[in-house]
Amino acid sequence: MPPGTPMLTAGETPALSAANTGFMLLCSALVMLMTPGLAFFYGGMVRSRSTLNMLMMSFAALGVVTVLWVLYGFGVAFGTDFGSVVGWSPDFAGLSGVGRDRLWDGYAIPVLAFAAFQLMFAVITPALISGALADRVKFGSWVLFVALWATAVYFPVAHWVWGPGGWLLEAGVVDFAGGTAVHVNAGAAALGVILVIGRRVGFGKDPAHPHNLPLVMLGTALLWFGWFGFNAGSRLGNDDGVGAVVFVNTQVAAAAAMLAWLAYERIRHGACTALGAASGAVAGLVAITPSGGSCSPLGAVAIGAVAGPLCAAAVRLKHGFGYDDSLDVVGVHLVGGVVGSVLVGFLATGGVQSEARGLLYGGGTDQLVKQVVGVAAVLVYSLVVSAALALVLHRTVGMRVSEDDEVSGIDRAEHAGTAYDLGGDGHGPTPGGAVPLPARPVTAARRAVDA
């Protein structure tokens, strides 16, 4: 992904490649599919009364970030560098100065194809945060948070990691497809927000089991499928074989992490769960994201084998420390992103996409130090700024729904409907968006069904 790794040789004039352009558009569509996949993944993990809200939080990110990306986000992330921390190019504002024939520097693809691919990364990153906030956040406040967070956190961090002149890119930090910019960023943001807004009603006392595991597995399948575009597409072309290596590494790491997570569950809890298989696969996909262009397939096995049990153990930290990470965004995305990013410093072969060599391949500790610095910088910045944004919103417009709405069901309170018409009364939005019928009283029996 970094613009500093051209597909063309020095001095060669790029010409539009129809094959590479088509490849990038296909990969962009695959990455776009990941956001609805994430919606299903999260939607199945929550209680039934929060399903619509989880779906809507992901779809809202599709709308908000897309518009902001066109207006100014692409310019901030990939425009001309200012101080190694942000970018800006007037012709990127509104994409007004980007014609169909303008190519991305050093590559044989249009700027618009590159912008579309990067847009899908910008969309899914804040959507990842939503899983930590399940059951308790006002939808309007979430929409406002996504807009502010994308502007203040994601766009600048994307410039640090991938933008021309970005300070982490210039420092030699390797992040092939988003270990720091996407997963550490989103995981740290999730932690910052939940520390501000607090825990759900009944956290640690009332059961909050996934209500629909088949929906979780469907979401996992869509994420896994889309991740091939997420990772392989980050080479920005398909004419040097790197994409094939990354494709294989993506599959291998996900499989290894899933098996390792299940082994951890079997040893610790005596059973291999469907949720564990889904979470393990996602943990492996997260971990290979920064390193897929730097390691061998055997290295990908090692990355998955390490990420699986570490993330499985990390999801239990919320019970020890008392923070309410509803759907384990911190345990899977923050920890998985850290693991994958740091392991570049050990397992980078120097023979795939990057010349960086890890400690186990004769590179010494130089790359390891760079990776740790990159992880720490993104983690601290995202954690602090995200918490500050959440605090401002919490003290002004308010971020949480009322306790009554949380208990009776955030779907009805925020979206005037439910995911399932369990009572057969047809309660929900009426055709044409008319005001729905008044909600019937929420009895103890009804709450038990909804849970």
Side-chain angles (χ1 to χ4, degrees):
M1 180 180 295
T5 310
M7 298 285 290
L8 302 166
T9 59
E12 185 177 353
T13 301
L16 178 67
S17 167
N20 284 346
T21 301
F23 173 72
M24 290 309 303
L25 294 178
L26 175 60
C27 288
S28 300
L30 287 172
V31 181
M32 181 272 168
L33 184 65
M34 292 175 67
T35 299
L38 180 73
F40 289 140
F41 180 72
Y42 283 165
M45 288 177 69
V46 295
R47 290 169 285 194
S48 63
R49 62 177 182 256
S50 302
T51 307
L52 283 182
N53 184 246
M54 289 311 309
L55 298 177
M56 286 292 290
M57 290 174 86
S58 287
F59 275 81
L62 270 168
V64 173
V65 179
T66 296
V67 174
L68 296 184
W69 187 253
V70 171
L71 293 178
Y72 58 83
F74 182 59
V76 173
F78 292 99
T80 302
D81 178 68
F82 285 90
S84 298
V85 291
V86 295
W88 185 248
S89 296
D91 54 345
F92 286 172
L95 298 179
S96 57
V98 181
R100 65 178 186 176
D101 297 326
R102 182 174 174 181
L103 303 185
W104 186 244
D105 289 346
Y107 294 87
I109 61 172
V111 171
L112 286 174
F114 178 74
F117 183 67
Q118 289 292 342
L119 163 62
M120 304 312 170
F121 282 65
V123 165
I124 197 171
T125 306
L128 292 172
I129 302 170
S130 66
L133 317 180
D135 296 322
R136 59 201 190 275
V137 173
K138 295 178 181 177
F139 183 70
S141 298
W142 165 250
V143 171
L144 186 55
F145 175 80
V146 168
L148 295 173
W149 188 85
T151 301
V153 181
Y154 183 80
F155 300 158
V157 169
H159 184 79
W160 297 0
V161 176
W162 298 315
W167 74 275
L168 290 181
L169 179 64
E170 294 298 314
V173 176
V174 173
D175 186 351
F176 185 73
T180 56
V182 175
H183 298 290
V184 171
N185 200 2
L191 181 59
V193 176
I194 59 181
L195 291 177
V196 170
I197 67 172
R199 298 176 287 187
R200 289 168 290 178
V201 175
F203 173 72
K205 299 177 182 178
D206 298 337
H209 303 304
H211 86 283
N212 192 329
L213 284 171
L215 197 62
V216 174
M217 301 300 277
L218 172 63
T220 304
L222 291 173
L223 284 169
W224 197 331
F225 179 67
W227 225 293
F228 292 115
F230 195 93
N231 282 359
S234 291
R235 183 53 179 163
L236 303 186
N238 194 34
D239 54 11
D240 62 358
V242 171
V245 176
V246 177
F247 190 105
V248 171
N249 286 347
T250 300
Q251 175 70 14
V252 168
M258 179 179 67
L259 295 176
W261 186 301
L262 292 175
Y264 174 89
E265 279 191 330
R266 185 59 181 253
I267 293 169
R268 185 173 177 85
H269 305 295
C272 299
T273 68
L275 183 59
S279 299
V282 172
L285 292 166
V286 169
I288 199 61
T289 297
S291 50
S294 301
C295 69
S296 68
L298 283 178
V301 172
I303 288 169
V306 172
L310 280 183
C311 290
V315 299
R316 300 186 61 82
L317 293 176
K318 63 184 179 183
H319 300 294
F321 289 97
Y323 62 85
D324 187 5
D325 176 14
S326 306
L327 306 182
D328 303 320
V329 178
V330 175
V332 173
H333 292 277
L334 177 56
V335 174
V338 170
V339 168
S341 298
V342 171
L343 285 179
V344 171
F346 290 94
L347 296 171
T349 64
V352 188
Q353 178 263 347
S354 170
E355 295 181 358
R357 287 186 177 274
L359 185 62
L360 300 182
Y361 287 85
T365 60
D366 288 350
Q367 192 61 44
L368 178 59
V369 171
K370 292 175 183 178
Q371 296 303 118
V372 171
V373 169
V375 166
V378 173
L379 195 161
V380 172
Y381 179 77
S382 183
L383 176 68
V384 172
V385 177
S386 302
L389 292 174
L391 184 61
V392 170
L393 291 176
H394 199 47
R395 296 285 177 85
T396 54
V397 298
M399 285 202 72
R400 293 193 61 149
V401 298
S402 69
E403 184 173 328
D404 287 344
D405 286 341
E406 184 179 331
V407 171
S408 62
I410 193 171
D411 283 356
R412 286 185 176 176
E414 292 292 306
H415 306 293
T418 59
Y420 309 100
D421 185 14
L422 298 178
D425 61 357
H427 180 76
T430 56
V435 176
L437 297 172
R440 59 182 170 173
V442 181
T443 64
R446 181 68 184 187
R447 289 180 184 174
V449 172
D450 283 345

